Amino acid sequence: MSKKALYNHVVQKMIDYVDEKKTDMAEDTMSVPTTAYTDQGGWHQEMDLIFKNRPIFIALSQELPKPGDYKTMQFLDKPLLITRTADGSARVMLNVCPHRAMQVAIDEYGSRSRFTCQYHGWSFRNNGDLIAVADRDKFGEVDKSCHGLTQLPTYERGGMIFAVLNGDTSVDFEEHLGGMIEDIEQLGFDKWHYCGKRTIYGANWKIAYDGYLEGYHFAIAHPETVAPRTYSNVMHFENYGPHILLGFPQRSIHTLKDVDPDEYWQHENDGFDFIRTIFPNVSIFVAPEITQIAQIIPGPTPAENTTHLYFIHHTAPKTDDETQALEEMMEWLRNVVDTEDYYMGLRIQKGIESGAHSHVMFGRNEKGNQFFHKWVDYCLANDPTLPKPTL
């Protein structure tokens, strides 16, 4: 099915759900042990088998628009250096000098053709090659070809940069990202304007991600922000492998009854919205005012996560008023996620840790959450002969 046909199908389903007071539903309810959100051993398995062994979103292309641009970040136990090289390609490397393990880049963002370690002065090109060893005559022989920065498998498409944190793992990026990266690519993020980033802190990474996967909570948790725009507990789910295209009907969706059903695909944000998720930790919300890409980074303990909210817009602001409007939208969305969603998540974490119940439940209406947790279990089983979960 083409993307346009898929979108048309999803929109028609959402119109029907609103008319019939229904939603997309799983076959049954599902229970997940509360230890899935607290157990240290299980958390380490998730990090090793999911976050380090599969393609993970690292940065937006527009964070590094020009050759020489770079970004640093900490992802789990990996200090990362992401660069734009002279040929325009992106590199993701470990930001660790091979001499004594000092980070070679300190600032979060910048532009350099080379990096010099601040501890002993070893120098590296921005592609990771070792250029020079300080006072080499006294240090001794070093094979520069073997002592560059450690390279990680890197893939850039659709305005997004991905890497595999376990550099020894062989991964087919195209197979893993599949139809979702094709969906994102047609949005043209690589040509959009990067507005900025906000960082918030929350509970276990799966508690945080659960909040992006359903609209059951809209009426109660977002009575003055999301609920006035969007129906609560009305959703439709499609998947590309482990990734989800999640449709939410706006309260204005019935205006589309005057639209040719073959043209529904053109009306995103005009009657309905999509959330696009990239397993295991990214949620993308495209809105006319601004687009938010949420990146959940687990840790440093099972009960914590750091979430970076990246914001882009299809055009750069031309006036101070337009710049101010984008800043206000970033703050508004940050506050909604932090003070409404993540506020709830932190209290859910406390409730789980209390031992009041052995399991949490997901209803038939929480189909996306069920699908996500089945994929987590599939990855942890680490058995490629098992069937992959489907919606």
Side-chain angles (χ1 to χ4, degrees), residues 193-196 198 287-291 311-333:
H193 171 71
Y194 177 67
C195 303
R198 301 291 188 271
E289 299 88 355
I290 205 165
T291 289
F311 296 96
I312 57 176
H313 193 260
H314 54 85
T315 57
K318 297 178 181 178
T319 66
D320 290 344
D321 287 345
E322 290 180 358
T323 299
Q324 182 63 27
L326 291 174
E327 287 290 330
E328 290 174 357
M329 279 305 304
M330 286 191 283
E331 281 300 298
W332 187 83
L333 283 168

Side-chain angles (χ1 to χ4, degrees), residues 86-391:
D87 66 6
S89 63
R91 296 283 183 99
V92 180
M93 301 168 280
L94 295 184
N95 185 16
V96 180
C97 180
H99 171 217
R100 296 270 292 281
M102 175 63 180
Q103 295 182 9
V104 300
I106 305 301
D107 295 335
E108 184 178 9
Y109 292 98
S111 183
R112 291 185 185 178
S113 61
R114 66 170 61 190
F115 298 93
T116 300
C117 178
Q118 295 185 15
Y119 196 11
H120 294 96
W122 286 31
S123 296
F124 304 83
R125 292 190 179 91
N126 75 343
N127 66 0
D129 291 346
L130 176 60
I131 301 172
V133 174
D135 212 355
R136 183 171 179 175
D137 290 343
K138 295 179 181 177
F139 185 88
E141 288 299 318
V142 174
D143 184 349
K144 289 192 289 186
S145 67
C146 299
H147 289 83
L149 302 180
T150 299
Q151 306 280 330
L152 300 182
T154 303
Y155 178 78
E156 183 174 21
R157 185 176 175 186
M160 305 183 77
I161 300 169
F162 299 84
V164 180
L165 298 181
N166 181 353
D168 295 330
T169 300
S170 177
V171 171
D172 187 331
F173 285 95
E174 295 280 353
E175 179 183 4
H176 176 76
L177 294 167
M180 182 53 77
I181 198 63
E182 294 174 4
D183 187 303
I184 292 169
E185 186 174 41
Q186 71 182 7
L187 296 171
F189 284 173
D190 58 321
K191 299 178 178 62
W192 288 27
H193 171 71
Y194 177 67
C195 303
K197 182 182 76 172
R198 301 291 188 271
T199 299
I200 58 178
Y201 303 92
N204 176 272
W205 71 277
K206 296 191 296 293
I207 288 177
Y209 207 51
D210 279 334
Y212 294 100
L213 296 175
E214 48 91 355
Y216 186 29
H217 68 285
F218 286 175
I220 303 301
H222 304 297
E224 298 178 358
T225 52
V226 180
R229 167 192 175 98
T230 306
Y231 282 101
S232 187
N233 203 25
V234 184
M235 303 149 281
H236 185 77
F237 304 90
E238 298 286 342
N239 74 290
Y240 306 104
H243 321 296
I244 299 175
L245 178 70
L246 172 52
F248 291 111
Q250 296 176 4
R251 296 188 181 277
S252 61
I253 194 168
H254 285 99
T255 60
L256 296 182
K257 289 187 174 181
D258 298 327
V259 173
D260 182 341
D262 290 335
E263 301 299 322
Y264 284 158
W265 64 273
Q266 297 192 69
H267 289 265
E268 184 172 354
N269 303 134
D270 177 22
F272 66 94
D273 296 303
F274 284 142
I275 294 290
R276 295 166 173 88
T277 73
I278 302 176
F279 183 85
N281 67 325
V282 173
S283 173
I284 302 170
F285 172 46
V286 177
E289 299 88 355
I290 205 165
T291 289
Q292 173 184 285
I293 299 100
Q295 175 196 47
I296 301 170
I297 301 178
T301 71
E304 301 170 83
N305 89 81
T306 297
T307 296
H308 298 306
L309 303 174
Y310 301 92
F311 296 96
I312 57 176
H313 193 260
H314 54 85
T315 57
K318 297 178 181 178
T319 66
D320 290 344
D321 287 345
E322 290 180 358
T323 299
Q324 182 63 27
L326 291 174
E327 287 290 330
E328 290 174 357
M329 279 305 304
M330 286 191 283
E331 281 300 298
W332 187 83
L333 283 168
R334 178 244 179 239
N335 289 337
V336 169
V337 177
D338 190 32
T339 64
E340 297 180 8
D341 291 299
Y342 279 41
Y343 170 88
M344 297 287 184
L346 288 167
R347 279 142 189 82
I348 290 170
Q349 186 75 45
K350 294 295 185 185
I352 285 173
E353 291 172 353
S354 74
H357 305 286
S358 63
H359 290 72
V360 295
M361 292 181 61
F362 293 98
R364 295 182 64 196
N365 57 328
E366 297 173 302
K367 188 176 180 180
N369 303 82
Q370 293 195 27
F371 180 71
F372 164 64
H373 284 275
K374 288 175 182 177
W375 262 97
V376 170
D377 290 343
Y378 170 79
C379 294
L380 295 182
N382 199 27
D383 183 354
T385 67
L386 293 175
K388 295 178 179 178
T390 57
L391 273 172

